[in-house]
């Protein structure tokens, strides 16, 4: 066993006989999510004059219109994961004649509810205050089906009038619209390895090597990742994108900012049972169960279909935080199960959210690059929305890039700040982000403080908040023994650990059983094993020829790690215990690229900095469901 | 043999891991949510395309892809395929359903091939997958071949080796894991490919950019190719039920289990 | 209704099993049966089914029809079909017949459907059954147009055997082809563990490579037991993704490769019986069992996937112990 991870160096050294090819374009874009949709749509619409001539000439290919290329990691534009309910202000502004019937699964929001869920099984770890509240609700007969419906939906959470979308179908539709305009090419199945930096300036991006084995060692058909040089790199690679994170590592964040608040959102799209009472356009938000830290959502599409799921945040200090099992318990809460029982899983998926919002905002612009979308801090944790915010940031950049192209101005930091960053600061995006900035600080201290803080902030438009100092995600994670103190003895945990490790299983199953969570009775349709969900819902697959994109920096650190949160939290059961000891095992073919392993590790990076012992890179493959 | 024209016939099928369910539509059976299902280039046709590109590189030939499918879906799939190898495309905007009649599909494809500008049948090799992953008849290519007058046809091909003079040998899959090796004097010929033995080519952005210059216009001027759907009638399409009544044998002595199994195996 | 059974003969002049089954299917339609055979020789094959009730035998024979070539086979089949003038033509879906069936249909102006798993005539109406989307769904189809040429899948129809002596009308055909068969390359026969024709499929799962009750792995023992059962039963070996992945990395059983993987991303073999050992029965694996008839499993875990309607019988037991006894019993 070696201590350092064994992947090949990502440097410039190539085996003899191979050359790294280079291509020049004008605008190179990373990631196709709603942010990039907003950008490319706005740009495409403005690149041609009324007489059909281009508004500017390509510098990369003189005589041609500007060459705009976008690279998306996933195998299709429709393989993203989200909720999605949105006010859709930015999206509607981009498509004034938006006809929702053209986008499969889309519909108007008709009805909203917030449900506080009591604990029907008695296994949830509730603070005393919450227990008292639960009791009171029961005594006064205010809870039905173990749930209390808030008398009204607080304004900051309200989405009406808004839209329900499927992220996959929306992205596919938006991508089709953009491609049809012929101004930009969007290439899925192409992970970008990182930015090409020279000092603080970005000169382009480098694509991931192909034709390598899992360690990154060249094999038959080796093709070194191409260097794409461009005047401008647009970084819209979302919460866990490799390009954005490398820029953060190299350039740091503006003083006082840090991106430490995370959550993993795990969801399903469900064919509701026949005769289900839920009406299309219904939006349910839940809190309180399966654990107080876990929020849930259920949105109803036309055709008796629902999008539903939970968020497991980084401030939920449980080292065996498995989103999959919690999702199953959440669905079986009586107030939801009465609608879901007999339903069928159509789709399943998971993805991280960067929940630091404004607090996690990086440098939005630099020489040769601009940042948009969730990776640039657009997601609003108070209102629980990210899609329209991401889209709008892209639109603002699109307008600005057109302005600079027309004026034949170079994409310097000053020029991008004068245009894009200024527009963003003057927009509703910034206004609302500021209100939300400290909304969740209270959760650093506890879930009750957090909930009160959120309500305070929301109701006073950001004037009041519950203060709390943030920690790096790995600093928060307690040992398993201390988390279960008073419930499961250290000896018993040791025995469970030994047994599970020998079988190559994570610990959460045994520990949750022991903590009183009922066994999940599989029905083969909606409640299925995690592996089955990967296939039936996620359709997970991985093309060969790419290196493992999840590696462990120091194997010795892993060997001595008692929590192994990476295994417990892995959304795809792609990380498993190594019966031989040492670093966990990673199976690329089960990975859904949710990025949860990035922040679900209890040990700091041996190299220091904000990160942990997991190295998460851009890889190909993952979910193949276009409905999430 | 220089200047070969290699025409690959291939269309799209649902991404292999998708859950498929039949529904009956106005024109016969269809797949539930067909428009929402992500699609890929039919895998065996994909192998044919990569083999074609590989051969074209050796013989300075040219590769065409003739695809019959719904235009919007084809556009999406091309964003995956076009980065792989250089080709020109002929788009026939019509159904790619597994429930369409093979003969109608073949007639449309043959028409598409005939329309390739500068088509020279003495230099023509028609490639394709030996079966589609949708209909799986293995019938379309043969009929296209007949319509084009090609009577040297090979199916289940895993390898082609071409000599300087344009003659070639092929390996075809036959029963029992064996191969039949044949020789042919040269074009025109038709090859229905199995998997071949080339690895999937890497995504090459330069190839993608070049291909797109021709693919986007070709998509824009796609020929409508609605199939009549005459003659083939469906009395029903269904998913087979797989669920069994499982008898669980617990706490039985090992000897008894072994004996029961031995009897069952021998029976 | 006139039905033509159309097939090629085998290298030794006999009629193959797949062809005998296709004849069974043709006969099952009722109607007036005509038989057409082509190959190096046809008399022996015709005699082997002489008593099947056919009213007429056609043949095309000669050295140019000894090997499977599109040009010669299509010409022979076309000549026979034209001479017979049948409304329904039934042929086996051997690789040789499959290569030309659709081309022949095109020449005849016939409709074609291939790889039928069912074919029946009820009240003058013929309904054919075939699978779509890589055997994911099954459909029943009908056609009014004639002639209609169909090929039948193997293992779906009862073979027709009826020896006697047949009088065959030989047709002369001059095929035009620019192709030659050079050779048949058979796979190396040594230690073949994938046997498509075996009665039994033995699936070995990842449990074989895992630590057992004593905390130890027993990989050598596992290999001995699995190979023991294979040699005692001539079963075909399948495996799970987990085990072949491990084997690929040299951690488990040396004789396993990805070729053995059964399941969604592996193969979907056809066998009358299947026995799963140390395999959990997750859906991605079990979808590969679609065409395995009777299914039994041995697993330590009573809640494994097999228990949920995926097997006919689940034995909750230690596979090491059961297999060891089983191999002894079957030796
Ligand atoms: C379960 C869940 C539910 C949610 N519900 C809602 C909701 O109801 N309403 C709402 O408004 N928001 C919701 N959100 C948040 C919302 O989805 C995100 O804020 C939004 O998608 C962010 O958009 P984006 O374009 O910035 O990034 P993303 O959507 O993350 O897109 C980034 C893209 O970049 C690609 N990429 C990453 N790295 C690379 C690389 N190196 N090379 C190439 N491509 C790369 C990724 O594959 C991805 O497609 C939810 C999120 C989740 C996970
Ligand atoms: C998209 C996708 C595609 C996939 N494709 C495939 C595929 O094509 N084929 C495939 O197989 N898998 C596939 N998988 C993986 C699949 O989900 C499972 O992970 C895999 O099948 C598990 O293999 P297993 O049952 O052998 O191993 P495990 O799940 O590890 O099960 C081992 C079993 O052995 C039992 N056991 C241990 N010791 C003994 C003993 N002494 N006696 C009896 N029983 C014992 C245990 O109880 C356990 O049930 C795919 C997964 C995904 C996500
Ligand atoms: S990656 Fe982190 S959590 Fe996982 S074993 Fe290593 S140190 Fe522990
Ligand atoms: S290994 Fe893959 S599936 Fe698991 S947490 Fe990391 S990104 Fe998610």
């Amino acid at each position: 066993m070696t201590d350092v991870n064994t992947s090949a160096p990502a440097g410039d050294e190539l085996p003899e006989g191979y050359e790294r090819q280079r291509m020049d374009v004008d605008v190179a874009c990373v990631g196709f999510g709603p942010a990039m949709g907003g950008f490319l749509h706005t740009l495409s619409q403005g690149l041609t004059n009324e007489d059909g001539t281009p508004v500017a000439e390509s510098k990369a290919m003189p005589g041609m219109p500007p060459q705009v290329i976008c690279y998306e990691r996933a195998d299709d534009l429709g393989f993203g994961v989200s909720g999605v309910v949105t006010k859709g202000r930015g999206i509607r502004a981009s498509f004034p004649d938006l006809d929702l019937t053209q986008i499969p699964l889309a519909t108007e929001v008709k009805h909203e509810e917030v449900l506080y869920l009591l604990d029907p099984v008695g296994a949830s770890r509730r603070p005393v205050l919450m227990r008292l509240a639960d009791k009171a609700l029961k005594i006064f007969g205010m809870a039905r089906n173990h749930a209390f419906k808030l008398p009204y939906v607080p304004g900051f959470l309200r989405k009406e009038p808004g839209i329900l979308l499927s992220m996959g179908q929306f992205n596919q539709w938006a991508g089709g619209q953009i491609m049809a305009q012929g101004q930009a090419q969007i290439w899925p199945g192409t992970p970008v390895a990182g930015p090409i930096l020279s000092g603080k300036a970005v000169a382009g991006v480098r694509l991931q090597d192909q034709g390598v084995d899992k360690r990154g060692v060249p094999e038959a058909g080796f093709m070194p990742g191409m260097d794409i040089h461009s005047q401008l790199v647009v970084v819209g690679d979302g919460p866990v994108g490799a390009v954005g994170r490398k820029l953060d590592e190299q350039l740091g964040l503006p003083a006082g900012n840090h991106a430490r608040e995370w959550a993993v959102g795990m969801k399903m799209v469900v064919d509701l049972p026949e005769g289900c009472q839920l009406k299309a356009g219904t939006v349910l938000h839940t809190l309180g169960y399966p654990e107080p830290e876990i929020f849930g959502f259920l949105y109803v599409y036309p055709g008796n279909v629902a999008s539903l799921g939970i968020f497991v945040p980084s401030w939920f200090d449980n080292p065996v935080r498995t989103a999959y099992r919690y999702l199953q318990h959440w669905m079986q809460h009586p107030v939801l199960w009465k609608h879901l029982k007999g339903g069928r899983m159509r789709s399943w998926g998971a993805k991280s959210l960067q929940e630091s919002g404004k607090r996690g905002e990086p440098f939005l612009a630099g020489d040769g690059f601009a940042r948009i979308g969730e990776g640039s801090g657009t997601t609003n944790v108070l209102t629980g929305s990210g899609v329209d915010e991401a889209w709008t940031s892209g639109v603002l950049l699109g307008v600005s890039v057109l302005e600079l192209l027309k004026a034949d101005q170079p994409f310097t930091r000053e020029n991008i700040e004068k245009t894009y960053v200024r527009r963003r600061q003057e927009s509703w995006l910034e206004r609302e982000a500021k209100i939300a900035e400290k909304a969740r600080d209270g959760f650093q201290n506890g879930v009750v403080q957090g909930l009160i803080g959120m309500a305070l902030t929301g109701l006073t438009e950001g004037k009041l908040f519950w203060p709390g100092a943030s920690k790096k995600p790995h600093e928060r994670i307690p040992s398993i023994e201390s988390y279960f103190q008073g419930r499961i003895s250290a000896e018993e945990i040791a025995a469970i650990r030994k047994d599970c490790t020998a079988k190559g299983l994570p610990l959460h199953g045994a520990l949750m059983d022991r903590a009183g969570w009922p066994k999940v009775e599989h029905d083969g349709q909606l409640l299925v094993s995690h592996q089955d969900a990967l296939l039936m819902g996620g359709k997970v697959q991985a093309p060969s020829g790419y290196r493992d994109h999840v590696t462990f920096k120091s194997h010795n650190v892993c060997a001595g790690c008692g929590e192994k949160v990476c295994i417990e939290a892995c959304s795809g059961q792609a990380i498993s215990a190594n019966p031989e000891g040492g670093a966990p095992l990673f199976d690329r073919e089960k990975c859904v690229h949710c990025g949860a392993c990035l922040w679900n590790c209890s040990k700091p990076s041996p190299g220091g900095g904000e990160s942990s012992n997991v190295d998460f890179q851009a890889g190909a493959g993952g979910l193949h469901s276009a409905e999430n | 043999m220089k200047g070969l024209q290699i025409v690959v016939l291939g269309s799209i099928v649902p991404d292999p891991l998708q859950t498929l369910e039949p529904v009956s539509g106005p024109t016969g059976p269809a797949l539930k949510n067909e428009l929402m299902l992500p699609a890929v280039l039919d895998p065996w046709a994909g192998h044919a395309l990569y083999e074609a590109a590989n051969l074209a590189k050796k013989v300075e030939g040219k590769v065409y892809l003739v695809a019959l499918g719904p235009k919007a879906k084809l556009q999406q799939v091309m964003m995956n395929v076009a980065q792989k190898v250089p080709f020109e495309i002929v788009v026939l905007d019509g159904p790619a359903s597994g429930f369409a009649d093979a003969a109608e599909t073949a007639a449309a494809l043959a028409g598409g091939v005939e329309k390739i500008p500068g088509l020279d049948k003495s230099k023509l090799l028609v490639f394709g997958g030996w079966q589609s992953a949708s209909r799986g008849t293995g019938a379309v290519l043969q009929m296209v071949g007949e319509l084009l007058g090609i009577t040297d046809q090979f199916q289940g091909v895993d390898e082609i080796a071409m000599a300087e003079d344009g003659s070639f040998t092929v390996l075809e899959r036959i029963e029992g894991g064996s191969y039949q090796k044949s020789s042919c004097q040269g074009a025109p010929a038709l090859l229905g490919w199995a998997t071949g033995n080339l690895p999937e080519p890497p995504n090459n952005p330069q190839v993608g950019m070049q291909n797109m210059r021709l693919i986007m216009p070709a998509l824009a001027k796609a020929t409508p190719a609605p199939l009549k759907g005459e003659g083939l009638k469906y009395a029903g399409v269904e998913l087979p039920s797989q669920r069994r009544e499982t008898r669980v044998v617990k706490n039985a002595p090992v000897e008894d289990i072994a004996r029961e199994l031995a009897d069952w195996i021998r029976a | 209704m006139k039905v033509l059974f159309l097939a090629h003969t085998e290298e030794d002049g006999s009629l193959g099993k797949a062809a005998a089954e296709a004849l069974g299917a043709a006969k099952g339609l009722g109607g007036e049966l005509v038989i057409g055979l082509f190959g190096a020789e046809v008399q022996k094959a015709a005699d082997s089914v002489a008593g099947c009730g056919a009213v007429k035998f056609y043949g095309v024979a000669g050295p140019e029809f000894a090997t499977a070539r599109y040009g010669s086979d299509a010409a022979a089949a076309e000549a026979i079909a034209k001479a017979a003038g049948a409304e329904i033509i039934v042929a086996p879906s051997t690789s040789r017949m499959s290569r030309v069936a659709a081309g022949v249909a095109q020449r005849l102006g016939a409709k074609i459907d291939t790889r039928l798993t069912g074919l029946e005539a009820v009240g003058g109406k013929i309904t054919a059954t075939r699978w779509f989307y890589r055997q994911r769904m099954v459909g029943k189809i009908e056609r009014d147009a004639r002639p209609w040429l169909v090929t039948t899948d193997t293992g779906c129809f009862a073979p027709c055997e009826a020896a006697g002596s047949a009088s065959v009308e030989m047709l002369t055909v001059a095929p035009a082809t620019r192709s030659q068969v050079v050779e048949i390359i058979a796979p190396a026969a040594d230690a073949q563990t994938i046997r498509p024709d075996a009665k039994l499929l033995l699936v070995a799962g990842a449990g074989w490579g895992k630590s057992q009750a004593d905390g130890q792995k027993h990989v050598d023992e596992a290999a001995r037991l699995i190979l023991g059962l294979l040699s005692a039963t001539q079963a075909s070996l399948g495996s799970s993704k987990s085990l072949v992945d491990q084997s690929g990395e040299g951690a488990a059983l040396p004789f396993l490769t990805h070729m053995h993987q059964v399941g969604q991303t592996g193969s979907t073999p056809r066998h009358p019986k299947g026995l799963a050992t140390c395999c959990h029965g997750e859906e991605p694996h079990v979808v590969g069992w679609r065409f395995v008839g009777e299914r039994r499993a041995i697993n330590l875990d009573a809640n494994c996937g097999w228990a949920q309607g995926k097997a006919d019988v689940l034995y909750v037991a230690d596979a090491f112990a059961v297999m060891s006894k089983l191999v002894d019993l079957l030796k």
Side-chain angles (χ1 to χ4, degrees), chain C residues 263-274:
Chain C
Q264 181 72 58
T265 41
S267 61
T268 309
R270 272 175 200 265
H271 299 278
K273 292 174 192 170

Side-chain angles (χ1 to χ4, degrees), chain C residues 12 42 48 63 106 129 135 142 150 157 167 182-183 219 223 228 231 240 252 274 317:
Chain C
D12 63 0
V42 299
S48 74
Q106 182 69 39
T129 309
Q135 275 106 11
E142 289 161 5
V150 299
F157 301 90
S167 112
V182 181
E183 61 176 321
V219 180
S231 84
S240 70

